[in-house]
Amino acid sequence: MEWAGRGTHLRGIPRKMVIGAVGGFAKLVASFLNSTSVRNADTLLSLVRSRPPGTPLITVSNHMSTLDDPVMWGFKGFPTMDANLARWVLAAEDICFKNPLYSYVFRLGKCIPITRGGGIYQEHMNEAVERLSNGEWLHTFPEGKVSQEDTPIRRVKWGTASLIVRAPVTPIVLPIVHHGFEKVMPEKFLFGRRPPAPLCNKKISIIVGEPIDFDLPNMRKIAISMSRNFSHPLLGWPNTPDGLDEPAQRSLYSAISEKIRTSLESLRLFR
């Protein structure tokens, strides 16, 4: 149902309606029913509104609840209901796309289905690369799943790193860490289940970092050097556009992912 996610679908009217409704919900939860504080919001706002033409943006964050996206964009001053500025986001196929109605609505909401365990070269990752190729904004949860414990950032999956490498123009990568959504939508609230609606009167804290500096040419050289002694079974990955084979990709994606993890962890500790 990729056609539903195109801006030209029915002249973009369904998308505007869904983004407007979801954005209004995010504003209600983040700014009225709860209190949200944002540190360094200007950096995020500037990159969403006025980054260099053709330059894609990837925001990465921890994943505290099923409401993180879209509610984390509902703070005061953020253009949450602007369909043109709204992010694309990688969303779990088994949750958000489990029937045709869900698929249609989430597609209108600029969500890209991802199959957990499907690997970094699954079909819809190519769609994410296409969005980045158009200079758009993509949000990912690189830990891969919700965790409501206040513990160090877990190992980061390689999917985000692969998108950074495969994008024709290297994206700006902005780390964000938040706290409080685990209280707004706890996984185990009543009888071990989530509450039927977001909880109120909670404090949400969002910390926006600075863009992560990736020296990709140098990281590529190091990855190629380290991959010469690679001895693990291969999965049959295609070479990247610049010629990196699978062993070099694995080394490079691991290094990029660790840099993302340490950036998120430093923000997590900066409370």
Side-chain angles (χ1 to χ4, degrees):
M1 204 176 285
E2 185 177 343
W3 51 268
R6 296 172 187 157
T8 55
H9 171 57
L10 296 179
R11 299 183 179 180
I13 294 174
R15 173 187 285 183
K16 290 178 181 177
M17 292 174 63
V18 168
I19 295 292
V22 172
F25 168 78
K27 288 285 187 188
L28 176 66
V29 175
S31 300
F32 293 95
L33 300 181
N34 297 281
S35 61
T36 300
S37 63
V38 185
R39 185 174 299 174
N40 197 28
D42 287 346
T43 295
L44 174 62
L45 287 166
S46 175
L47 290 174
V48 168
R49 286 176 169 153
S50 57
R51 62 187 177 277
T55 301
L57 171 66
I58 296 179
T59 49
V60 293
S61 75
N62 58 327
H63 205 1
M64 297 294 285
S65 81
T66 54
L67 280 185
D68 293 355
D69 183 284
V71 177
M72 65 185 293
W73 317 117
F75 62 87
K76 293 177 181 178
F78 194 85
T80 313
M81 293 179 279
D82 188 324
N84 293 322
L85 293 179
R87 87 293 169 265
W88 289 88
V89 63
L90 303 183
E93 188 173 41
D94 59 323
I95 296 175
C96 302
F97 296 84
K98 57 186 179 182
N99 62 50
L101 177 60
Y102 277 30
S103 297
Y104 183 65
V105 172
F106 278 98
R107 275 296 192 174
L108 292 176
K110 301 177 77 168
C111 298
I112 299 173
I114 293 296
T115 302
R116 298 180 189 184
I120 64 174
Y121 280 104
Q122 59 181 280
E123 177 186 357
H124 292 295
M125 288 293 278
N126 294 329
E127 183 183 346
V129 173
E130 182 181 346
R131 301 303 177 191
L132 295 174
S133 300
N134 293 333
E136 299 189 65
W137 167 28
L138 176 71
H139 183 71
T140 73
F141 296 102
E143 292 176 286
K145 61 181 180 180
V146 169
S147 175
Q148 298 199 323
E149 299 178 2
D150 188 13
T151 56
I153 300 296
R154 295 163 297 175
R155 175 186 172 273
V156 168
K157 308 294 185 182
W158 288 355
T160 301
S162 74
L163 294 175
I164 294 170
V165 172
R166 293 169 63 192
V169 175
T170 301
I172 298 170
V173 182
L174 188 70
I176 303 172
V177 165
H178 49 75
H179 305 274
F181 288 114
E182 74 282 6
K183 297 177 182 177
V184 175
M185 183 56 69
E187 287 289 297
K188 297 180 180 179
F189 176 68
L190 188 63
F191 303 114
R193 301 175 67 87
R194 302 184 193 107
L199 303 184
C200 306
N201 299 318
K202 307 298 181 183
K203 292 183 178 180
I204 300 169
S205 172
I206 300 174
I207 305 173
V208 179
E210 295 297 331
I212 303 173
D213 181 25
F214 294 106
D215 184 357
L216 285 184
N218 188 51
M219 294 180 78
R220 283 188 176 93
K221 291 179 183 178
I222 295 173
I224 292 171
S225 176
M226 294 182 64
S227 69
R228 289 170 183 157
N229 298 319
F230 187 84
S231 59
H232 299 286
L234 298 178
L235 299 176
W237 292 355
N239 286 3
T240 60
D242 58 355
L244 289 180
D245 60 14
E246 182 177 332
Q249 287 180 64
R250 288 189 176 208
S251 179
L252 180 57
Y253 298 161
S254 179
I256 292 174
S257 297
E258 179 57 19
K259 196 157 189 177
I260 292 172
R261 191 197 68 79
T262 56
S263 296
L264 290 172
E265 179 62 13
S266 65
L267 290 180
R268 188 188 74 87
L269 296 173
F270 188 65
R271 284 194 283 173

